Amino acid sequence: MTDPEEIRTLEELGANAWPAVRRLLFDGWLLGLSQGYTKRANSVLPLYPGRLDPDRKIVACQDFYAGFGQPAVFKLSAAALPPDLDRRLAAAGYEKIEESLVLVRDLDRIEPEPGTAIGLAEELPAGWIEGLARLAGLPASSEMTLQAILAGLANPACFAWLDDRAGPLARGLGVLERGRVGLLDIIVRPERRRQGLAGRLVRALLAWARSRGAAGAWLQVTAANRPGLGLYAGLGFREAYRYWYRIKEVRA
């Protein structure tokens, strides 16, 4: 089992690589708001010890999100504090959903795979967000939120893309912090998946990170994403730990 301190470090890196549009620090818990776009950016991250009663904090978080018309969501791992928070949330009626894995690998020699060159840029390229939105089927409102999330990045980032005559073919993002690169939003056009494009995208981002001095990489993938798990295992990633969400819907 991964050491809790290492889990907290990776959870910090994840929160910084995908920053909520608005964030509030509440007695050791980080609350994020991003107009409902992705659970990562719209949840409570309970990483550090607090002084307040945990059950009262849960209710306070629930009321906070209800004020914005959103369900209260907690992102939990083996390092969540207090240690019995998962049990407390279950007792309060929070449903467990979307178990996910955090995968890691060291960055030894990385060579981009041969084939069509992957576009890479350290500044957000024109059309990158629109391309990602098209591949993911996002509405225009989510494009605006994604723009705000990316504008909140405080660490070096690399935007990767591949297009063809039909439009956007693949997108990906790498964010560098503390000698490690986080890989996010790796997506390929559905009819072109399982053709090695995602692997080329990932290797290009890893090569960029290594050129910037990174020694390791991490990413997050849902446990239900069997193709993704197979892809990343083939690229040398291994499981570090798992996390999951607990959610309680807003009641009218």
Side-chain angles (χ1 to χ4, degrees):
M1 178 178 175
T2 301
D3 179 78
E5 290 305 316
E6 173 67 1
I7 294 176
R8 290 190 187 97
T9 295
L10 285 163
E11 288 291 284
E12 285 183 4
L13 297 181
N16 291 338
W18 196 252
V21 176
R22 287 186 282 181
R23 298 199 278 189
L24 177 72
L25 188 60
F26 174 45
D27 192 45
W29 294 357
L30 184 63
L31 283 61
L33 277 169
S34 301
Q35 290 84 48
Y37 178 59
T38 75
K39 291 182 182 65
R40 285 178 294 174
N42 291 273
S43 56
V44 181
L45 188 60
L47 281 183
Y48 306 107
R51 297 167 297 169
L52 303 179
D53 175 74
D55 292 326
R56 292 185 178 181
K57 287 172 68 175
I58 291 170
V59 173
C61 291
Q62 183 175 316
D63 291 344
F64 173 79
Y65 283 97
F68 291 91
Q70 294 184 203
V73 181
F74 286 75
K75 185 174 184 282
L76 301 171
S77 69
L81 291 174
D84 64 348
L85 180 58
D86 188 61
R87 178 190 62 77
R88 290 175 182 269
L89 288 167
Y94 282 76
E95 178 188 1
K96 182 178 180 179
I97 61 170
E98 285 188 29
E99 183 178 43
S100 298
L101 288 70
V102 174
L103 307 180
V104 298
R105 64 157 289 174
D106 296 330
L107 291 188
D108 42 17
R109 184 175 177 82
I110 297 292
E111 294 291 345
E113 292 184 3
T116 305
I118 303 294
L120 297 174
E122 295 189 1
E123 298 293 333
L124 180 63
W128 191 91
I129 288 178
E130 292 80 1
L132 177 65
R134 181 172 168 183
L135 291 172
L138 299 177
S141 59
S142 292
E143 288 187 41
M144 296 175 61
T145 305
L146 177 56
Q147 177 79 50
I149 288 173
L150 296 177
L153 286 173
N155 291 306
C158 184
F159 300 88
W161 72 91
L162 184 61
D163 297 336
D164 63 11
R165 292 180 179 179
L169 184 56
R171 292 290 186 273
L173 171 66
V175 181
L176 188 62
E177 182 181 355
R178 299 181 228 177
R180 292 191 248 194
V181 63
L183 304 182
L184 303 99
D185 276 352
I186 306 298
I187 187 169
V188 175
R189 191 189 303 157
E191 66 269 23
R192 293 293 304 276
R193 291 171 186 169
R194 298 180 177 85
Q195 298 178 16
L197 298 178
R200 294 219 303 268
L201 201 77
V202 168
R203 287 184 179 277
L205 287 168
L206 294 181
W208 166 80
R210 195 169 190 277
S211 74
R212 294 289 303 265
W218 61 268
L219 57 85
Q220 302 169 342
V221 59
T222 62
N225 185 356
R226 308 313 298 180
L229 291 171
L231 166 69
Y232 297 125
L235 290 169
F237 284 87
R238 66 187 185 279
E239 180 179 339
Y241 65 96
R242 299 192 175 206
Y243 69 88
W244 59 96
Y245 294 98
R246 282 203 179 265
I247 183 171
K248 190 170 186 178
E249 297 290 346
V250 175
R251 301 295 182 183

